Amino acid sequence: MTSHVKLRKERLSVVDYDTQIKEVRCQLVDQLKVLDLQLEQKSQQLQDLADYLRRRGEIENEYARSLEKLAERFTSRIKRKEPSSHSVAQVWLALLSQTRQESRDHNGLSESCSNFLIQPLTYCLEYTQRLAKKSKDICTQLQDGLLKVTTELQTAWRTYYQYHSDYVAAEGKLREAEKQEEKQKQSAAKKLERLIEKRQGKVQEIHLKCSKARNDYLLNLAAANSSMNKYYLQDISTLIDCADVGYHLSLDRVMQAYLSKRWRAQQNLSTGLQQLQGAVSGLDQRQDRDTLLQDHYNTFSMPLRFPYQPHDGDQVSEVSAECEMRCELETRFKQIQTRLKAVTQETEEAGKNMSSAQSNLLEGISDDDLELSSGSGSSHDGSTENLNVKPSVARRRASLQEVENLYFTKVKEYLVGSSLVSKLQAKHDLLKVAVEKGFNLLTGKSVRVRRNHSSANLLHNHKLFNGDMLSFIQASGQQIPIVVESCICFINLNGLHHEGIFRVPGSQMEVNNLRDAFERGDDPLAERWYDLDSVAGVLKLYFRGLENPLFPIDSTSRLLEHAQIKNESERAAQLKSVISSYPEPVIVVMRYLFAFLHHVSQYSDENMMQPYNLAVCFGPSLVRGAQDEDVVTLQPQINALVKDIILQHESIFPGQGEVQGPVYEKCMTLEQDDWYVEEWFDWQIDWSGAENKGSFVFFLSLSLITIVHSKLQEVCRQMDSVFKELISRQALQEPSSTISSSSAQAPQRKGRRGDGPADPWD
């Protein structure tokens, strides 16, 4: 099965991803051409064989000269083509050789060739073409998935290069400041110290972003190589087998029936017929498949593995579990482990179902109108008593098509599932190594908590929920409403890999509490941990309850009309022309939201939220029709529209150069003045490696310190709540002073998730 797979010689120079992916694309196109050529060859073989039998029946009563001319006619056809070592071609050559010896055949064989042997070949040609078409469709889908993996690899690679460039630049500025401090130790010392501290903080923050981007790049790199390996080692062979299902069996049965009549008709040709029997028995589907792959080695050989290409001077070549990312990697590892186990079980079950369906399909193909009889039985020339026609042929063929459709459904499930297992396994193995290095004996769950930067004392008369978003933005000065920015940041930091995010409902009580807190102007997600599904529910609730939907109602009909355009570039251009007419504050929020949704969909292997699933969750909230329109009728079109915008958000929404405002950032981090709280749950210690009781005392002390620390934090939070309540009451007693003081402060939020990785110290 894998004898054709040999890695090409590795090149001395560094492989460029764009060139390598372009070569892979060309190779995938060539594969489809080869499969089409193979179908043409099989169809031609079946048509030639049917033509041969028909002509054989007509000239069966003629003398040796006419039969010899027939053999020469088909021999000349083969000579015009390239010689083939396929078992079917060998049968064809043996058949022509035997024909030259059958110059004096009797009339009984004429009736068999004219009536009973051509019909199975015609049906074989029909289902062979159907199977080849379905195999090609699945192959196209698998190739699209392969190209998607390579696209994700390129995106992760570019993101990693960008952040590493920023890290190198920030590190250079830090070294420059340190050199200035050495030169000017006495003058302006305090100013240089502050500058160095700021640049050190900047270096640490960019280094964290760079590490995150590198991790995503390494994971996508492993997934891409694993997908390539899976496709070239397994999927291609499976698809070729699917296209050939029943083809060899049908030919075998036709030829066996032909041989049965010949053995009864002419015993004097036993030697020649035994040679033909050997050729027919040599029909081997796997051998023909391997021969096809070997003949087109350059087309089907697996390309070189994608090498890791570190950026300038970067020495890290593995997924790193630094302290800030330890929680994220551990959570992601557990989720992938659970997901991998479930998908593996589903794929194994799909494989069993595929084998069962294949057996049923072969059994149905075998249940045709050909009944072989032994060559020793007596028969009369021209009789048809040994070929019985079974009743209900149309019913059996309809049932066979149902089995055929079921078989290809199972093949698709198995191939898609096994490809997903391959990608998840590659990520699982890398994360396992990183997590094991980061956690030696004690394992826990850490929660990242941000300080509350919300404008709690900001007074305005516009509602956040169930209000008008544009009016709220203009009144509050928040370019991204606090509920949108805070929820997206929380999910980015903690929930990109959470299975069923936005699809699974959260606690209604917790959703209401979050809504009320945001409505008061607080940022509850900056103070404590909340359930991810509840946070996602608040974000959906905000957009669902807007007085005017995110996409204005008067533009819905134009958007749905443009969404029907087949050409992707033209569709994106038309949608952009409509969206560009919206107010700029609305465009900024749209751009931020859809970049985030696209980021969530990139982890669909783990969170099971493909772009369409996200569109189903957000479509009804973001796009609405007129009051008299049928919501049920429009919903599929709305879902398709939102899905297209998620996939093409970079082409649809104007960039920051066209419309100023915050831009969603994939690799978010906590700010320098944020705190990082670790809460340990279900701690487990591997006592098998402890050699004395000192280890037990150490870990017991550590756990007690952790518990006391957690309790002290809870007390501090309660005291903080009391102080906030006192301040709010004082504000109510002195409204005039509060309004004057709050109006003097612009409600600016820090752009930690906004305008990209630019250095604020330049």
Side-chain angles (χ1 to χ4, degrees):
M1 178 176 179
T2 60
S3 60
H4 71 286
V5 180
K6 298 179 181 177
L7 292 177
R8 299 174 181 175
K9 295 182 178 179
E10 296 187 2
R11 306 168 186 174
L12 297 177
S13 60
V14 178
V15 180
D16 180 66
Y17 279 165
D18 295 333
T19 303
Q20 188 173 359
I21 292 175
K22 184 177 179 181
E23 293 176 356
V24 171
R25 286 179 181 270
C26 295
Q27 192 180 36
L28 295 179
V29 173
D30 292 340
Q31 290 177 6
L32 294 178
K33 292 181 180 178
V34 170
L35 293 178
D36 290 338
L37 179 62
Q38 180 68 8
L39 172 61
E40 182 181 353
Q41 292 177 351
K42 290 191 294 184
S43 301
Q44 187 65 43
Q45 288 173 345
L46 288 173
Q47 292 173 358
D48 286 348
L49 186 55
D51 187 26
Y52 166 80
L53 292 175
R54 188 179 296 107
R55 292 282 300 151
R56 180 65 183 269
E58 295 174 357
I59 65 173
E60 196 63 32
N61 294 324
E62 296 181 4
Y63 293 101
R65 185 177 58 184
S66 300
L67 195 58
E68 184 67 22
K69 289 181 180 179
L70 176 65
E72 290 298 330
R73 172 187 176 185
F74 288 97
T75 301
S76 62
R77 287 188 182 183
I78 294 178
K79 289 181 179 179
R80 289 196 298 266
K81 301 178 181 179
E82 294 183 359
S84 175
S85 58
H86 290 186
S87 60
V88 177
Q90 296 301 320
V91 170
W92 182 237
L93 291 175
L95 179 62
L96 291 178
S97 177
Q98 179 63 22
T99 302
R100 294 188 182 93
Q101 302 177 20
E102 296 176 357
S103 57
R104 296 177 182 179
D105 203 2
H106 50 78
N107 294 328
L109 188 59
S110 174
E111 183 177 356
S112 298
C113 292
S114 301
N115 298 329
F116 296 98
L117 298 181
I118 295 178
Q119 186 177 6
L121 290 176
T122 303
Y123 182 61
C124 178
L125 177 61
E126 294 176 1
Y127 69 70
T128 297
Q129 291 175 345
R130 288 199 309 270
L131 297 183
K133 182 178 182 302
K134 294 177 181 179
S135 298
K136 183 179 178 181
D137 293 340
I138 296 179
C139 184
T140 303
Q141 182 177 355
L142 292 176
Q143 289 183 357
D144 291 340
L146 208 60
L147 295 176
K148 178 183 176 183
V149 171
T150 58
T151 302
E152 293 174 352
L153 172 62
Q154 285 182 300
T155 302
W157 175 55
R158 292 191 181 100
T159 304
Y160 155 61
Y161 268 43
Q162 177 185 358
Y163 282 117
H164 194 266
S165 298
D166 295 340
Y167 170 71
V168 172
E171 197 175 34
K173 292 179 181 180
L174 176 60
R175 287 195 296 268
E176 180 182 352
E178 290 175 349
K179 290 179 180 179
Q180 292 179 2
E181 183 183 26
E182 292 177 1
K183 293 178 180 180
Q184 303 176 4
K185 289 186 177 181
Q186 295 180 357
S187 61
K190 292 185 178 180
K191 184 176 180 181
L192 286 175
E193 281 183 2
R194 287 195 299 270
L195 179 60
I196 290 175
E197 289 178 359
K198 291 180 181 178
R199 293 192 175 180
Q200 285 176 345
K202 185 65 176 180
V203 168
Q204 293 174 359
E205 180 182 359
I206 297 179
H207 177 261
L208 179 57
K209 293 181 180 179
C210 178
S211 299
K212 281 192 174 185
R214 187 192 307 110
N215 288 348
D216 278 343
Y217 169 42
L218 288 170
L219 293 174
N220 281 285
L221 178 64
N225 286 323
S226 179
S227 298
M228 286 288 181
N229 194 43
K230 167 69 171 50
Y231 175 81
Y232 281 89
L233 292 179
Q234 300 179 17
D235 295 352
I236 292 176
S237 299
T238 303
L239 288 172
I240 295 176
D241 289 343
C242 293
D244 289 342
V245 168
Y247 174 70
H248 296 75
L249 178 63
S250 296
L251 284 176
D252 178 79
R253 292 185 61 78
V254 170
M255 297 308 302
Q256 291 289 357
Y258 171 79
L259 289 172
S260 177
K261 290 297 298 180
R262 287 301 309 269
W263 280 114
R264 290 191 299 269
Q266 288 183 327
Q267 294 294 333
N268 59 334
L269 297 178
S270 59
T271 303
L273 293 177
Q274 288 176 358
Q275 295 176 354
L276 185 57
Q277 175 70 62
V280 172
S281 301
L283 287 168
D284 189 342
Q285 178 178 336
R286 294 186 177 181
Q287 180 181 352
D288 285 357
R289 178 200 65 204
D290 293 340
T291 302
L292 173 66
L293 295 174
Q294 189 63 36
D295 291 343
H296 302 277
Y297 172 76
N298 292 331
T299 300
F300 292 105
S301 62
M302 186 173 64
L304 294 173
R305 289 176 61 88
F306 292 106
Y308 174 58
Q309 298 183 9
H311 193 253
D312 186 17
D314 188 7
Q315 300 297 325
V316 181
S317 60
E318 59 184 13
V319 179
S320 60
E322 298 180 355
C323 57
E324 294 87 349
M325 295 180 293
R326 186 176 59 189
C327 164
E328 177 185 348
L329 291 184
E330 184 193 24
T331 303
R332 187 173 185 182
F333 171 71
K334 291 179 180 178
Q335 291 174 346
I336 287 183
Q337 195 173 40
T338 303
R339 175 79 173 129
L340 179 61
K341 182 178 180 181
V343 174
T344 301
Q345 293 177 351
E346 294 174 1
T347 304
E348 291 176 353
E349 185 65 25
K352 295 178 182 178
N353 294 335
M354 181 185 69
S355 300
S356 176
Q358 183 180 15
S359 301
N360 294 336
L361 181 59
L362 293 175
E363 183 179 353
I365 293 174
S366 301
D367 187 18
D368 51 21
D369 296 335
L370 299 177
E371 289 292 342
L372 302 180
S373 60
S374 62
S376 59
S378 60
S379 61
H380 299 284
D381 294 343
S383 66
T384 60
E385 61 183 5
N386 293 318
L387 288 174
N388 301 325
V389 178
K390 295 183 178 181
S392 305
V393 175
R395 185 187 307 171
R396 286 189 287 110
R397 291 186 177 179
S399 176
L400 184 61
Q401 287 189 4
E402 293 180 1
V403 176
E404 176 184 312
N405 293 332
L406 175 63
Y407 170 63
F408 270 89
T409 299
K410 298 303 178 183
V411 169
K412 179 180 177 181
E413 291 178 0
Y414 173 73
L415 293 178
V416 173
S418 57
S419 298
L420 180 56
V421 168
S422 177
K423 291 186 287 185
L424 290 177
Q425 187 65 52
K427 295 181 179 180
H428 173 273
D429 295 342
L430 287 179
L431 288 174
K432 182 179 180 181
V433 174
V435 169
E436 287 178 351
K437 289 182 178 180
F439 297 90
N440 295 323
L441 298 176
L442 187 62
T443 62
K445 177 180 178 183
S446 59
V447 179
R448 286 175 283 186
V449 182
R450 310 185 319 277
R451 290 190 184 276
N452 194 338
H453 296 285
S454 63
S455 302
N457 295 325
L458 183 64
L459 298 179
H460 51 77
N461 296 324
H462 293 84
K463 295 190 299 182
L464 178 61
F465 287 83
N466 302 321
D468 183 69
M469 186 184 71
L470 182 59
S471 300
F472 177 84
I473 292 175
Q474 293 172 348
S476 65
Q478 300 173 5
Q479 291 180 294
I480 304 295
I482 180 175
V483 61
V484 177
E485 185 178 15
S486 183
C487 291
I488 287 179
C489 177
F490 188 87
I491 295 173
N492 176 285
L493 292 173
N494 304 288
L496 288 177
H497 320 286
H498 182 66
E499 183 174 337
I501 188 72
F502 293 115
R503 188 181 71 242
V504 179
S507 169
Q508 188 60 43
M509 180 180 297
E510 200 168 55
V511 170
N512 293 338
N513 293 337
L514 286 169
R515 178 197 60 193
D516 296 340
F518 279 119
E519 194 66 67
R520 293 192 302 267
D522 295 333
D523 185 357
L525 301 181
E527 299 174 354
R528 50 163 292 198
W529 170 266
Y530 283 89
D531 179 64
L532 283 166
D533 294 322
S534 299
V535 176
V538 172
L539 184 60
K540 292 192 297 181
L541 176 65
Y542 170 73
F543 287 107
R544 184 169 61 249
L546 288 176
E547 181 179 329
N548 298 312
L550 190 62
F551 290 86
I553 295 179
D554 56 3
S555 66
T556 299
S557 59
R558 287 182 295 159
L559 291 174
L560 295 180
E561 180 182 354
H562 295 328
Q564 305 300 321
I565 300 176
K566 300 298 182 182
N567 185 274
E568 291 186 1
S569 301
E570 183 180 355
R571 180 171 67 243
Q574 293 297 329
L575 292 175
K576 182 176 181 178
S577 65
V578 176
I579 292 175
S580 298
S581 64
Y582 297 165
E584 288 193 0
V586 175
I587 296 177
V588 170
V589 176
M590 285 183 176
R591 181 177 62 192
Y592 196 89
L593 174 64
F594 278 94
F596 164 68
L597 294 180
H598 182 265
H599 191 202
V600 173
S601 69
Q602 290 180 327
Y603 295 90
S604 58
D605 290 346
E606 303 170 34
N607 58 35
M608 301 179 66
M609 294 302 293
Q610 291 81 7
Y612 180 78
N613 294 342
L614 292 171
V616 171
C617 294
F618 277 89
S621 303
L622 302 179
V623 183
R624 304 174 198 167
Q627 297 296 330
D628 56 347
E629 290 180 332
D630 188 359
V631 177
V632 177
T633 304
L634 287 180
Q635 200 54 57
Q637 303 177 39
I638 292 175
N639 293 342
L641 169 65
V642 176
K643 173 190 172 184
D644 290 338
I645 297 177
I646 292 175
L647 291 174
Q648 299 180 278
H649 73 100
E650 292 183 346
S651 303
I652 292 176
F653 293 105
Q656 197 173 12
E658 302 176 58
V659 177
Q660 295 294 328
V663 177
Y664 174 76
E665 187 174 347
K666 290 184 177 181
C667 297
M668 291 186 178
T669 60
L670 298 176
E671 295 183 356
Q672 296 177 13
D673 58 344
D674 292 341
W675 58 41
Y676 187 88
V677 179
E678 293 188 354
E679 299 178 1
W680 297 89
F681 302 101
D682 301 331
W683 55 276
Q684 299 174 355
I685 301 175
D686 184 7
W687 297 112
S688 59
E691 299 179 359
N692 50 53
K693 297 181 179 179
S695 299
F696 174 78
V697 174
F698 170 75
F699 285 107
L700 181 59
S701 302
L702 180 61
S703 62
L704 291 175
I705 292 173
T706 303
I707 294 172
V708 172
H709 179 65
S710 176
K711 294 299 182 181
L712 288 175
Q713 288 179 340
E714 182 64 27
V715 172
C716 291
R717 283 195 291 267
Q718 293 177 0
M719 294 177 64
D720 186 52
S721 301
V722 173
F723 289 144
K724 285 184 178 180
E725 182 66 22
L726 292 175
I727 293 173
S728 62
R729 292 182 180 180
Q730 183 179 1
L732 292 175
Q733 294 174 0
E734 300 177 359
S736 59
S737 61
T738 304
I739 294 174
S740 61
S741 62
S742 60
S743 61
Q745 298 176 355
Q748 299 294 330
R749 293 177 60 85
K750 294 185 179 180
R752 60 184 180 278
R753 300 177 289 276
D755 303 331
D759 189 351
W761 310 117
D762 289 342

